[in-house]
Amino acid sequence: MSKKWMYLFVLAVLVIPMILTACGTPEPTEEAQPTGATPVPTKEEAVPVQTEEVTGPEPSPYDEVDPTGATVLWWHQHSGAREEGLQEMVTDFNETNEWGITIQAEYAGGYSEI
């Protein structure tokens, strides 16, 4: 192959893709929206959003329950070091909860026995 044909081949490989790219589809402008696109309203066209009044959660039958001073008996299956750790957590809860609730944790056997 002669140098002349080699130069023409390289020129064709480099120039033809550039020409095809330059002739591609134009960038969309503000006037031209892509098919299926929702136009964005201008500041003047924007409609204010109406919001509903927030009233809070629905009333619950437990709204009137006062847990102050309650005692909870908790049967558990923990023994050994796990029971010691659990008793520490129960003691901490009993001393620090704001309602004065008392947890009474008792070992009741394994899962099948409980």
Side-chain angles (χ1 to χ4, degrees):
M1 192 184 269
S2 71
K3 283 187 176 183
K4 178 180 173 183
W5 288 109
M6 183 62 85
Y7 287 128
L8 282 173
F9 175 74
V10 170
L11 183 64
V13 169
L14 294 175
V15 173
I16 291 177
M18 284 193 278
I19 292 171
L20 293 175
T21 304
C23 295
T25 57
E27 291 290 322
T29 62
E30 289 182 17
E31 295 82 28
Q33 292 287 331
T35 305
T38 305
V40 178
T42 63
K43 192 173 186 179
E44 294 78 26
E45 297 172 330
V47 178
V49 176
Q50 294 184 2
T51 58
E52 293 182 22
E53 183 179 330
V54 178
T55 58
E58 292 291 320
S60 165
Y62 302 107
D63 287 344
E64 303 299 319
V65 174
D66 181 11
T68 304
T71 299
V72 176
L73 176 58
W74 178 24
W75 292 336
H76 62 83
Q77 82 289 355
H78 303 289
S79 61
R82 290 175 54 167
E83 184 176 20
E84 290 174 18
L86 180 126
Q87 289 296 346
E88 288 176 20
M89 290 187 284
V90 167
T91 301
D92 182 49
F93 176 83
N94 289 342
E95 293 173 354
T96 60
N97 76 82
E98 61 186 278
W99 301 281
I101 299 171
T102 303
I103 302 288
Q104 197 175 352
E106 292 184 9
Y107 176 77
Y111 284 114
S112 61
E113 296 165 346
I114 293 177

